[in-house]
Amino acid sequence: MTKYRTRLLFALITLIIIVLVGLGLLLGQLFKNYYINSFNERLKIELNLLTSNIEQNGGLASLDTEEISRMSGLLNARITIVDLEGDIHYDTGELSSTKINRHRDIIGDIVKDTPEEQSDLEVGGGFDLHYYWSPLIHDGEKEGYVFLTTKIDELQKAYRQIWWILTVSLGMALIVIILLGTRITNRYTKPIESATNVAIELAKGNYRARTYEDHIDETGMLSSSINILARNLQELMKLKESQQDRLTTLIENMGSGLILIDSRGFINLINKPYKEIFNVEASEYLYKLYYEVIDHEEITQMVEEIFMTEQKVRKQVVLPLEIERRHFEVYGVPIIGTNNVWKGILLVFHDITELKKLEQMRKDFVANVSHELKTPITSIKGFSETLLDGAMHDKATLEAFLEIILKESDRLQVLIQELLDLSKIEQHGFRLTNGRVDLVKEANEVIEILKGKAAQKDIMLKLSQPSEEAVIEGDPDRLKQVLINLVSNAITYTPNGGSVEISLTDQENSVSVVIKDSGIGIEKSEITRIFERFYRVDKARSRNSGGTGLGLAIVKHIVEAHKGHIEVDSQIGKGTTFTIKLFKKLPQ
């Protein structure tokens, strides 16, 4: 594409050349006419002098040929004297037959026609002569003519000189005009081209483009206006991008799935949480009809209801996702623009599965606590009523019933205490009483506490450690509670004659505590649930042993409070191994 500057310069140069050529032609013609007029005036004066001289010397009858020849040489012209009939009386020119005949014919024609003009031009045939004549008067009567003939070589030479001068002058003027025009064109077109380039960049979306503001005039005002427009567009684009980033960040990180459906039923937007929840790709949903890609009938019916009623809809639905069923609270709202223009539908999916699980856990917790409290209270109440009805007078019965009441009271006390401990541990403000804890010492104390219980079942309870001490930072009372719960459970679920072993491994930054028994073991499907509150592997055995089902839940919370980790490995009939990893220095 030819630049605007080049096209403008070409147009100006073309116009200037046309003007200069026209001016040259006009000046050339003017100079030519001026020179011819001057030439004719000179010939007229010379002819008048010659005629006067001949007339003074006696006219046609007494011609002084020497004088006439001398004057012909001075005037550099051919002098021919003829009578009224056209006969030549004297001629200073060449006497060759061809030329003299042609010369005689031209003079004869002039004399015969007696034209009013006193000049004639003969061009062609190789002659190129200019004739100028004057009548010869003697004694008041015309007796002939005097012809002054000159070649027009001088005219042509003068013409060529005139045209050469005009060509050189106009050529130099054209060169100067082109140079000045180029500079002037550059001065006034460069800002326009720069402004055009900036406008093109702005149209492409490059709002950082600027043009140079060099002087204060119309082009300077144009450049300034373009720069102001570019700055305004850049600010608007920054604001738009900022708002777009905020909106995108909000939509992509809102924590709930989102679908935007337009007025025709096509899906225009799905956010990242929706793709993660339903495990789909954007290409599977975008710009497709909602009922073609959404497989859940409850959702499609909800969308149809919003389309028909144009009202907000909120529903709780259960949707199968792979191998699990997830609970969602789906909120659908119609999008109505200005002038009640229907824009589409917005669906928001709140995942309330965890809330449902917590609600179910709360219900189970209340039911389990009620059941656990009901059993000892019923026993205490029943035996107390029996004693009041008269059984207290029987000493043996009285002692047996009081032992049962005491046992159930202890069980009730343990349950309440563990509930209080669990509630305290689960509070956000729970703090450990950290200090120096020697796990070897704590393990030995636990063995002393539980060795009587192990001896009743003939269970071998032992401690093995590679070093004399394993010191960590932690809460000694809580860690002792962990060991007591785990070892007590191991003794409870180990048959008579079995073994329970505590081993400590001192590592570089941590200590591993392993409690291994040779008990009944745990099913793999139950391992993930043993840390739930009130969950029992063998309900009959744990209830008979006074267990509450809260011990492992307390253990898990205490280990996590120490930033530790607990693992379980078990095989049915071969025993269970609990492995606890505790850091020597509590992570911040």
Side-chain angles (χ1 to χ4, degrees), residues 65-128:
T65 57
E66 293 182 0
E67 180 66 18
I68 294 174
S69 298
R70 186 181 65 81
M71 293 183 68
S72 175
L74 292 174
L75 297 177
N76 193 24
R78 181 177 184 177
I79 300 174
T80 304
I81 302 173
V82 300
D83 56 18
L84 294 176
E85 301 298 328
D87 296 331
I88 299 175
H89 285 252
Y90 183 75
D91 188 0
T92 61
E94 297 179 1
L95 300 177
S96 61
S97 60
T98 303
K99 294 184 178 181
I100 192 63
N101 289 334
R102 177 61 181 164
H103 182 63
R104 183 183 298 113
D105 293 339
I106 293 173
I107 292 176
D109 292 339
I110 294 174
V111 172
K112 181 179 179 181
D113 295 337
T114 60
E116 297 180 357
E117 294 183 2
Q118 295 181 344
S119 67
D120 195 7
L121 186 65
E122 169 66 14
V123 180
F127 299 102
D128 298 337

Side-chain angles (χ1 to χ4, degrees), residues 504-530:
L504 301 174
T505 304
D506 191 357
Q507 299 171 350
E508 182 179 358
N509 297 319
S510 62
V511 174
S512 294
V513 181
V514 179
I515 299 173
K516 182 178 181 181
D517 63 56
S518 58
I520 60 175
I522 306 172
E523 292 281 356
K524 288 185 177 180
S525 60
E526 294 182 332
I527 289 178
T528 58
R529 299 193 60 191
I530 62 175

Side-chain angles (χ1 to χ4, degrees), residues 12-253:
L12 290 176
I13 292 174
T14 303
L15 179 61
I16 291 170
I17 290 175
I18 293 173
V19 172
L20 291 178
V21 170
L23 182 61
L25 293 175
L26 178 61
L27 291 176
Q29 192 63 35
L30 290 175
F31 287 149
K32 178 181 178 181
N33 292 337
Y34 174 76
Y35 186 80
I36 290 175
N37 292 333
S38 299
F39 185 76
N40 288 335
E41 289 294 328
R42 181 176 67 82
L43 288 178
K44 183 178 180 181
I45 294 171
E46 291 175 353
L47 186 58
N48 289 335
L49 291 174
L50 179 60
T51 303
S52 298
N53 183 271
I54 294 174
E55 290 176 349
Q56 291 176 1
N57 291 330
L60 189 62
S62 57
L63 293 174
D64 187 353
T65 57
E66 293 182 0
E67 180 66 18
I68 294 174
S69 298
R70 186 181 65 81
M71 293 183 68
S72 175
L74 292 174
L75 297 177
N76 193 24
R78 181 177 184 177
I79 300 174
T80 304
I81 302 173
V82 300
D83 56 18
L84 294 176
E85 301 298 328
D87 296 331
I88 299 175
H89 285 252
Y90 183 75
D91 188 0
T92 61
E94 297 179 1
L95 300 177
S96 61
S97 60
T98 303
K99 294 184 178 181
I100 192 63
N101 289 334
R102 177 61 181 164
H103 182 63
R104 183 183 298 113
D105 293 339
I106 293 173
I107 292 176
D109 292 339
I110 294 174
V111 172
K112 181 179 179 181
D113 295 337
T114 60
E116 297 180 357
E117 294 183 2
Q118 295 181 344
S119 67
D120 195 7
L121 186 65
E122 169 66 14
V123 180
F127 299 102
D128 298 337
L129 300 175
H130 190 197
Y131 290 84
Y132 203 91
W133 64 89
S134 176
L136 186 60
I137 307 297
H138 184 67
D139 295 335
E141 294 182 0
K142 182 188 299 185
E143 61 177 356
Y145 293 93
V146 178
F147 283 87
L148 193 62
T149 305
T150 182
K151 292 184 179 181
I152 61 174
D153 293 343
E154 295 182 2
L155 285 175
Q156 293 178 348
K157 184 178 180 181
Y159 291 164
R160 286 194 296 270
Q161 188 174 5
I162 289 172
W163 285 115
W164 184 82
I165 293 173
L166 287 176
T167 302
V168 172
S169 301
L170 295 180
M172 293 179 64
L174 179 61
I175 294 173
V176 173
I177 291 174
I178 290 175
L179 294 176
L180 294 177
T182 302
R183 296 194 62 180
I184 294 172
T185 303
N186 290 340
R187 174 180 175 83
Y188 288 100
T189 60
K190 186 175 180 181
I192 296 176
E193 290 180 358
S194 178
T196 302
N197 294 332
V198 171
I200 293 173
E201 291 297 321
L202 294 178
K204 293 179 180 178
N206 180 16
Y207 300 112
R208 294 187 298 273
R210 297 291 185 274
T211 183
Y212 179 66
E213 303 175 22
D214 54 351
H215 47 273
I216 302 176
D217 54 9
E218 287 76 6
T219 56
M221 293 174 62
L222 174 62
S223 301
S224 177
S225 300
I226 290 290
N227 287 339
I228 292 173
L229 175 62
R231 283 191 290 269
N232 291 339
L233 288 175
Q234 187 176 13
E235 292 299 325
L236 289 175
M237 184 54 62
K238 285 182 179 179
L239 181 61
K240 180 182 177 182
E241 290 177 352
S242 176
Q243 293 176 346
Q244 185 68 29
D245 291 341
R246 293 175 186 174
L247 181 61
T248 302
T249 302
L250 176 63
I251 291 175
E252 295 296 333
N253 299 279

Side-chain angles (χ1 to χ4, degrees), residues 350-361:
H350 299 289
D351 189 353
I352 58 173
T353 304
E354 294 300 324
L355 294 177
K356 288 291 184 180
K357 288 182 179 179
L358 291 175
E359 183 179 354
Q360 186 62 39
M361 290 177 62

Side-chain angles (χ1 to χ4, degrees), residues 375-475:
T375 301
I377 291 175
T378 301
S379 298
I380 293 173
K381 182 179 180 181
F383 287 114
S384 299
E385 290 176 349
T386 303
L387 291 176
L388 291 175
D389 288 338
M392 62 178 177
H393 299 293
D394 185 352
K395 185 176 180 181
T397 303
L398 176 61
E399 290 180 357
F401 282 10
L402 289 177
E403 287 180 0
I404 294 173
I405 291 172
L406 179 60
K407 181 179 178 182
E408 294 298 331
S409 299
D410 292 337
R411 181 181 174 186
L412 184 61
Q413 183 180 6
V414 171
L415 176 62
I416 294 173
Q417 184 61 43
E418 289 189 349
L419 283 173
L420 292 175
D421 290 343
L422 183 61
S423 176
K424 183 178 180 180
I425 292 172
E426 288 180 342
Q427 289 179 2
H428 292 291
F430 172 70
R431 292 181 177 274
L432 297 173
T433 305
N434 293 327
R436 184 178 182 277
V437 181
D438 186 355
L439 292 179
V440 175
K441 177 182 177 182
E442 299 295 336
N444 285 321
E445 291 180 359
V446 169
I447 290 176
E448 289 295 326
I449 294 172
L450 296 176
K451 68 179 181 180
K453 183 177 179 180
Q456 293 176 2
K457 299 179 65 176
D458 195 21
I459 292 175
M460 182 177 64
L461 181 61
K462 64 178 181 178
L463 171 65
S464 62
Q465 81 277 358
S467 58
E468 296 182 356
E469 63 179 17
V471 179
I472 65 170
E473 181 182 0
D475 188 332

